[in-house]
Amino acid sequence: MTVSRCLRDPSQVSKTLKDKINQAVEELGYIPNRAPDILSNAKSNAIGVLVPSLTNQVFAEVIRGIESVTTPAGYQTMIAHYGYSAELEERSIASLLSYNVDAIILSENIHTEKARKMLQTASIPIIEIMDSYSPRIEQAVGFDNAKASKSMTEAILAKGRNNIAYFAARMDERTRLKMAGYQQAMSEAGLETVSLQTEDASSFTLGAKLLGQLVEQHPDVNGIVCTNDDLAIGALYECQRRGIRVPEQMAIAGFHGHDISQAMIPKLATVMTPREQIGHVAATQLIERLKGATDWQPSIDLGYRIELGESI
């Protein structure tokens, strides 16, 4: 009983006894079984986090922001990956809820009806991230994807380019919002839109492939807005390989502002988004709500910044 009490709350035993127990735990390699505690207290001290990709730098930075808050607060993060699939997200939500997580962070705002019902039944704090303007379940932390893409398209138009294409991959909801922002900017300028779309995952090689298709199908295009930096960087390098001067002959812009985009030559024009801050704010909001806060904001817009770089 004394050992159990010490492992639950070390302050309940003397320092001498605590040191003796910790030494035994270390020598034995003992792993505490938290299942009984979870069942008796209906709390896991864990926060579920669903991300669409574990290789995408965007979500690696979001997770870093989340854990900068959850770890000091004594919460574990349980991370699930769903590959941009609504059905897999549904199964991942069910799995996380089965572990009795205290709260959950979702990276999408489009969910299956079953997933929504499970979340409603769970009655735990829920935050959706990366988009602060679409309809939400409870609370959202992010920025306006459509407005950000529109702003970048307008920045290229301001450079005198009047034949601008859009590169889109995955075709998830945020990509569609960004493409809508591009289309709105082009429409307001009285210009025709050109878009190359694929369900494939974004990569540098895909950006290069799309650039090749663009040159063949739309040789008059002199500007490209990309749904992310991966496509933009791949397109830029393919331009260099083909002898197409950037930005003189082809203006190229990305989205998210990865570190590499600011180290390359020419420096990439991109939308700088606050990924780590989004994770930090989302986790902070959840912790405060778990402590009983009731005056939380339904939508928190952390904004974005247009980096003109040297590629437009």
Side-chain angles (χ1 to χ4, degrees):
M1 290 177 62
T2 302
V3 171
S4 177
R5 188 162 54 248
C6 176
L7 292 176
R8 285 200 306 270
D9 185 0
S11 67
Q12 293 187 14
V13 301
S14 68
K15 183 180 185 305
T16 301
L17 192 53
K18 180 179 68 175
D19 291 344
K20 187 176 180 180
I21 292 171
N22 286 341
Q23 183 179 350
V25 166
E26 185 173 341
E27 289 175 357
L28 294 170
Y30 173 70
I31 301 172
N33 182 356
R34 297 187 57 243
D37 187 53
I38 292 172
L39 290 172
S40 63
N41 296 310
K43 279 179 64 65
S44 63
N45 272 44
I47 291 176
V49 180
L50 275 84
V51 293
S53 171
L54 293 175
T55 58
N56 190 325
Q57 184 183 338
V58 169
F59 294 102
E61 293 176 8
V62 168
I63 292 170
R64 185 167 65 220
I66 292 170
E67 294 192 332
S68 71
V69 175
T70 55
T71 301
Y75 284 84
Q76 297 291 321
T77 53
M78 297 183 67
I79 299 171
H81 162 255
Y82 58 91
Y84 294 91
S85 164
E87 290 71 26
L88 184 53
E89 187 207 42
E90 177 189 296
R91 294 200 295 272
S92 296
I93 288 172
S95 177
L96 287 173
L97 293 178
S98 74
Y99 285 99
N100 224 14
V101 292
D102 298 332
I104 198 163
I105 295 175
L106 305 172
S107 298
E108 300 285 346
N109 51 25
I110 302 296
H111 316 285
T112 67
E113 187 59 32
K114 183 178 178 181
R116 288 181 175 275
K117 287 180 179 178
M118 287 190 293
L119 291 166
Q120 183 180 11
T121 301
S123 297
I124 59 174
I126 300 164
I127 291 184
E128 294 160 298
I129 59 172
M130 305 304 291
D131 179 0
S132 58
Y133 279 80
S134 297
R136 58 193 173 273
I137 294 175
E138 286 184 356
Q139 188 176 22
V141 177
F143 55 93
D144 188 333
N145 286 267
K147 185 179 178 181
S149 185
K150 182 175 184 284
S151 296
M152 178 52 80
T153 305
E154 290 171 342
I156 298 182
L157 289 168
K159 294 289 186 178
R161 306 308 168 102
N162 57 8
N163 200 340
I164 303 170
Y166 191 88
F167 284 3
R170 284 288 191 189
M171 301 313 298
D172 58 285
E173 184 61 21
R174 281 189 295 276
T175 290
R176 296 181 190 280
L177 289 171
K178 295 172 194 173
M179 191 158 61
Y182 151 79
Q183 292 168 342
Q184 184 180 354
M186 294 293 283
S187 176
E188 291 177 1
L191 299 172
E192 294 293 323
T193 61
V194 174
S195 62
L196 271 64
Q197 305 173 28
T198 174
E199 296 285 348
D200 294 342
S202 295
S203 66
F204 299 146
T205 53
L206 179 60
K209 178 182 176 181
L210 292 176
L211 189 282
Q213 294 177 8
L214 181 72
V215 170
E216 292 177 9
Q217 300 170 13
H218 307 279
D220 295 333
V221 166
N222 57 13
I224 306 168
V225 177
C226 298
T227 199
N228 56 38
D229 285 350
D230 289 357
L231 295 183
I233 292 169
L236 192 151
Y237 284 149
E238 182 64 12
C239 280
Q240 292 177 342
R241 192 183 72 81
R242 291 171 177 254
I244 301 172
R245 297 191 308 278
V246 177
E248 292 83 1
Q249 293 174 279
M250 185 72 78
I252 299 177
F255 200 106
H256 279 311
H258 293 328
D259 185 58
I260 187 176
S261 71
Q262 302 307 291
M264 57 194 291
I265 300 175
K267 184 187 294 185
L268 184 67
T270 187
V271 178
M272 307 292 288
T273 58
R275 286 93 60 192
E276 188 167 345
Q277 186 186 6
I278 287 172
H280 186 278
V281 171
T284 300
Q285 289 289 305
L286 282 185
I287 298 297
E288 290 301 314
R289 289 173 60 182
L290 287 169
K291 291 179 179 177
T294 58
D295 58 346
W296 42 270
Q297 295 174 248
S299 179
I300 300 176
D301 183 357
L302 297 178
Y304 60 87
R305 178 171 61 84
I306 297 298
E307 170 60 56
L308 296 178
E310 301 163 345
S311 65
I312 64 173

